[in-house]
């Protein structure tokens, strides 16, 4: 019984005795007045004593009753609050609120224990807000865990600090625990196995915890054990179903990739055989014609020149298609070696555009180039970059109707994140445009929008098509320069011609390019040789993982 309770009972006793003595001396009262003061006091003390004892008995009895009821109340309260709780964070919140309401404990953390090979992984779940610490692997011989497991009793921080065994704890584990700001650790068991620890903070700001506080915390923790088991099972099921969903998604994507590959293989067969057969058929036809003309003795110089010219053109086309197929396979195998030299963009563009001058005149296509002035030179493989520009030029010509307009704009972009400055080159046409849903697809090999039956082989005719390798090769070449290539277009409309914009962004020096290699080259084999043989990027694409 507390001192305050004793003082309380004493005061009740004294007050009752005084009231009784005053009552015995009330005027007109005949029963006690005639008695002497000593007898009156004796009677008052006796009666007050009896009344105080009766009151104390009732009070203590009630109190005992209340103490006996407390665990039940706590358990009932917890069960009501934890009803329907399905995740560990929500459970931690309920426990945190109960500890705050019942014991004025400001914070608590659940330490969830899971086996991690020979060790134990401890994950902290805060009652409110994010976890105070990252999960940590604890050794099974950690003295705190071992003591909680064997004693099955809460341990206060004070006890922990006083015990020399705990000072032998691994420093990282000690530091991890100290970040929790715990006043006591309450063990939680599932079928006799320590599965979690409820780390409760101090009362109020710094107050320690009494035995009865620990008792209540223990009741809350043991009530939470069953819910904890459910929430952990639910978490595991959710994680399993999430990983199953991601596996399914993975499988779906792989399946789609296989279907795409399968389609592109059959497309390849259809397109390649068409692309290869057309020039071969033309060559056979012209050779046949020459043969019969020789036979008829009707050959004249002019006809021979015309026929051989057509045979040369067919051979050129055949060569072009075979080269594209070879380039694509080099890119697929990461085996395209680039020879970097210092290039002027004006020169590269001129080389890319010149071959189309005749076709553009024939089809009355206008061309405007802006922003070429004041651009710095860039390190690039001249031949490959010209090939990429030439492909975009050819496409702009093919998909723009006769009399249309093509723009090429260039500008220097400011350097970003300490990387070298970049040059942006945009090919803008006023052609049929590309549906946004095909913006990625057209950069995949053998992908051509529209049916292959409408396919007419040409690099300049309106709507003429190739084997569907031009853009994937251009993209591969640009990416191997450390750049990016993408398209923007509002949509496909062969009547209104919304047009397309193909963007190339190139760093003036590719990330893996080391100018010292150039100097070393120049010193080793003379300046002339160095001009020709520049540093090649390593076979494995260095930008893939950057
Ligand atoms: P191809 O060898 O058939 O020209 P590409 O890889 O160059 O193949 O282009 C793939 C497809 O992208 C083309 O078949 C066409 O449908 C579309 N395409 C490319 N460039 C343009 C453009 N400038 N305007 C409209 N469509 C384009």
């Amino acid at each position: 019984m507390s001192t305050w309770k004793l003082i309380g009972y004493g005061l009740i006793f004294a007050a009752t005795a005084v009231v009784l003595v005053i009552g015995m001396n009330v005027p007109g009262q005949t029963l006690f007045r005639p008695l002497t003061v000593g007898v009156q006091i004796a009677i008052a003390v006796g009666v007050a004593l009896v009344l105080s004892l009766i009151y104390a008995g009732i009070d203590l009895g009630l109190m005992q009753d209340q103490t006996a009821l407390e665990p039940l109340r706590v358990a009932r309260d917890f069960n009501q609050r934890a009803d329907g709780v399905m995740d560990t964070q929500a459970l931690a919140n309920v426990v945190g609120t109960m500890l705050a309401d019942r014991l004025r404990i400001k914070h608590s953390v659940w330490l969830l224990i899971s086996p991690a090979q020979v060790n134990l992984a401890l994950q902290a779940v805060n009652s409110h807000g994010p976890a105070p610490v990252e999960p940590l692997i604890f050794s099974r011989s950690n003295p705190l865990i071992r003591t909680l497991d064997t004693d099955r009793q809460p341990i206060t921080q004070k006890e922990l600090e006083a015990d020399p065994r705990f000072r032998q704890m691994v420093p990282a584990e000690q530091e991890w625990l100290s970040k929790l700001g715990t006043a006591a650790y309450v063990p939680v068991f599932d079928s006799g196995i320590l599965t979690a620890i409820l780390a409760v903070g101090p009362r109020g700001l710094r107050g320690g915890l009494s035995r009865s506080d620990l008792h209540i915390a223990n009741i809350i923790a043991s009530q939470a054990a069953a819910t904890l088991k459910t929430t952990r099972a639910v978490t595991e099921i959710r994680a399993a179903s999430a990983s199953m969903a991601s596996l399914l998604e993975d499988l779906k994507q792989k399946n789609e990739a296989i279907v795409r590959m399968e389609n592109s293989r059959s497309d390849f067969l259809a397109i390649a055989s068409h692309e290869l057969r057309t020039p071969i058929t033309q060559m056979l036809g012209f050779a046949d014609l020459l043969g019969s003309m020789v036979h008829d003795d009707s050959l004249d110089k002019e006809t021979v020149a015309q026929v051989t010219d057509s045979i040369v053109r067919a051979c050129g086309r055949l060569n072009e298609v075979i080269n594209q197929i070879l380039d694509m396979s080099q890119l697929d195998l990461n085996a395209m070696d680039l020879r970097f030299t210092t290039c002027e963009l004006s020169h590269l563009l001129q080389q890319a555009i010149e071959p189309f001058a005749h076709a553009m005149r024939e089809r009355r296509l206008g061309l405007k180039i802006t922003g070429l002035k004041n651009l710095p030179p860039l390190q690039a493989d001249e031949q490959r970059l010209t090939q990429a520009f030439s492909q975009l030029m050819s496409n702009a010509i093919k998909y723009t109707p006769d009399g249309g307009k093509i723009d090429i704009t260039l500008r220097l972009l400011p350097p970003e994140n300490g990387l070298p400055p970049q040059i942006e080159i945009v090919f803008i046409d006023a052609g049929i445009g590309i549906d946004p849903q095909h913006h990625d697809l057209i950069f995949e090999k053998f992908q051509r929008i529209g049916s292959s039956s409408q396919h007419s082989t040409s690099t300049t005719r309106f709507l003429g098509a190739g084997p569907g390798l031009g853009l994937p090769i251009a993209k591969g070449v640009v990416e191997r320069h450390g750049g990016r290539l993408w398209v923007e277009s509002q949509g496909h409309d062969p009547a209104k011609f919304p047009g397309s914009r193909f963007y190339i962004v190139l760093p003036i020096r590719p990330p893996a390019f080391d100018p010292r290699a150039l100097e070393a080259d120049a010193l080793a084999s003379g300046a002339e040789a160095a001009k020709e043989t520049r540093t090649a990027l390593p076979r494995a694409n260095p930008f893939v993982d950057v």
Side-chain angles (χ1 to χ4, degrees), residues 336-340 512-513 517 521 533-539:
M336 184 180 273
D337 281 344
L338 299 187
R339 292 176 185 282
F340 283 81
F513 183 79
D521 253 10
T533 322
R534 299 301 194 190
T535 316
L537 283 183
R539 278 186 173 232

Side-chain angles (χ1 to χ4, degrees), residues 391 395-396 398-399 429 432-434 442 447-449 465-472 500 502:
Q391 183 60 46
N395 284 356
K398 280 194 299 188
Y399 298 103
D429 65 50
I432 56 173
I434 303 163
I442 56 171
Q447 297 292 341
R448 294 177 307 111
I449 311 306
L469 290 175
L471 287 179
S500 313
F502 283 82

Side-chain angles (χ1 to χ4, degrees), residues 198-523:
L198 177 60
V200 292
R203 257 190 155 200
L205 271 183
R206 295 173 56 83
L209 297 175
S210 69
R211 276 288 135 202
S212 74
D213 292 341
L214 284 183
H215 181 59
I216 300 291
N218 207 6
I219 292 165
I220 294 174
S222 53
Q223 284 303 310
T227 318
L228 187 64
K229 190 175 175 180
T230 317
T231 62
R232 290 181 89 172
V234 169
T235 310
E236 272 167 33
I237 291 168
R238 278 187 190 150
S241 85
S243 81
M244 216 139 91
S246 99
L247 271 177
L248 269 177
E249 182 55 33
D250 218 30
L251 219 67
K252 210 173 117 199
Q253 279 178 8
K254 287 204 171 110
N255 198 30
E256 281 169 7
I258 291 171
V259 170
R260 265 210 312 274
M261 259 167 64
E262 197 46 52
N263 286 345
S264 84
R265 218 175 39 183
S266 48
D267 278 357
F268 168 68
L269 287 177
I271 293 167
S273 54
H274 175 90
E275 289 288 336
L276 297 173
R277 195 158 359 104
T278 311
I280 292 174
T281 315
Q282 285 170 352
M283 285 192 287
L284 282 175
F286 288 125
D288 214 25
L289 181 67
L290 275 183
S292 43
M293 286 174 98
V294 169
H295 204 256
D296 300 351
D297 205 12
S298 59
L299 258 187
D300 62 82
K301 244 183 176 175
E302 200 183 326
T303 318
V304 172
Q306 271 179 4
V307 172
T308 49
D309 196 37
S310 302
I311 291 177
V312 168
R313 253 187 288 130
C315 282
R317 181 67 195 143
L318 195 61
N319 194 31
E320 213 172 281
V321 174
I322 291 171
N323 278 344
Q324 276 197 325
I325 292 172
L326 289 177
D327 285 349
M328 196 64 243
S329 77
Q330 270 190 349
L331 284 167
D332 276 349
L333 299 170
N334 243 332
M336 184 180 273
D337 281 344
L338 299 187
R339 292 176 185 282
F340 283 81
T341 54
T342 305
C343 310
E344 291 294 336
L345 265 167
S346 51
H347 178 61
L348 291 191
L349 270 181
Q350 194 188 357
Q351 276 186 296
I353 292 164
E354 233 166 39
F356 299 104
H358 175 70
M360 287 184 74
R361 258 196 309 276
E362 238 178 34
R363 296 197 39 217
R364 292 175 288 107
L365 292 170
L367 174 67
K368 193 169 144 208
I369 303 176
T370 44
L372 249 186
K373 266 193 203 148
N374 302 329
L375 286 180
L378 82 164
Q379 304 292 343
D381 183 313
E382 191 175 315
Q383 191 201 333
R384 288 297 182 189
L385 212 51
T386 306
Q387 180 188 0
F389 289 167
S390 157
Q391 183 60 46
L392 295 187
M393 191 63 202
S394 159
N395 284 356
I397 293 171
K398 280 194 299 188
Y399 298 103
T400 302
D402 291 2
K405 198 163 92 31
I406 296 166
D407 284 299
I408 302 174
T409 64
L410 299 101
R411 67 182 175 126
L412 183 68
L413 302 178
E416 262 176 31
N417 310 324
L419 293 171
Q422 306 186 93
I423 297 175
E424 181 194 77
I425 307 131
V426 195
F427 287 77
I428 307 162
D429 65 50
I432 56 173
I434 303 163
D435 192 326
Q437 65 166 323
H438 296 138
H439 285 186
D440 288 333
L441 196 69
I442 56 171
F443 291 100
E444 286 183 27
K445 54 188 175 203
F446 305 122
Q447 297 292 341
R448 294 177 307 111
I449 311 306
S451 112
S452 61
S453 59
Q454 293 164 5
H455 184 90
S456 88
T457 309
S458 171
T459 53
T460 53
R461 208 177 312 142
F462 182 47
L463 299 184
L469 290 175
L471 287 179
I473 293 172
K475 192 171 197 283
V477 166
V478 168
E479 282 174 354
R480 270 151 189 79
H481 279 79
R484 287 178 299 130
L485 166 59
W486 74 96
V487 66
E488 287 178 9
S489 172
Q490 282 174 356
H492 174 81
D493 191 337
K496 290 191 180 148
F497 303 111
S500 313
R501 290 166 169 256
F502 283 82
Y503 287 82
I504 294 182
V505 172
L506 280 172
I508 61 165
R509 271 192 319 278
F513 183 79
D514 182 357
R516 282 166 306 174
L518 270 181
E519 286 160 25
D521 253 10
L523 283 175

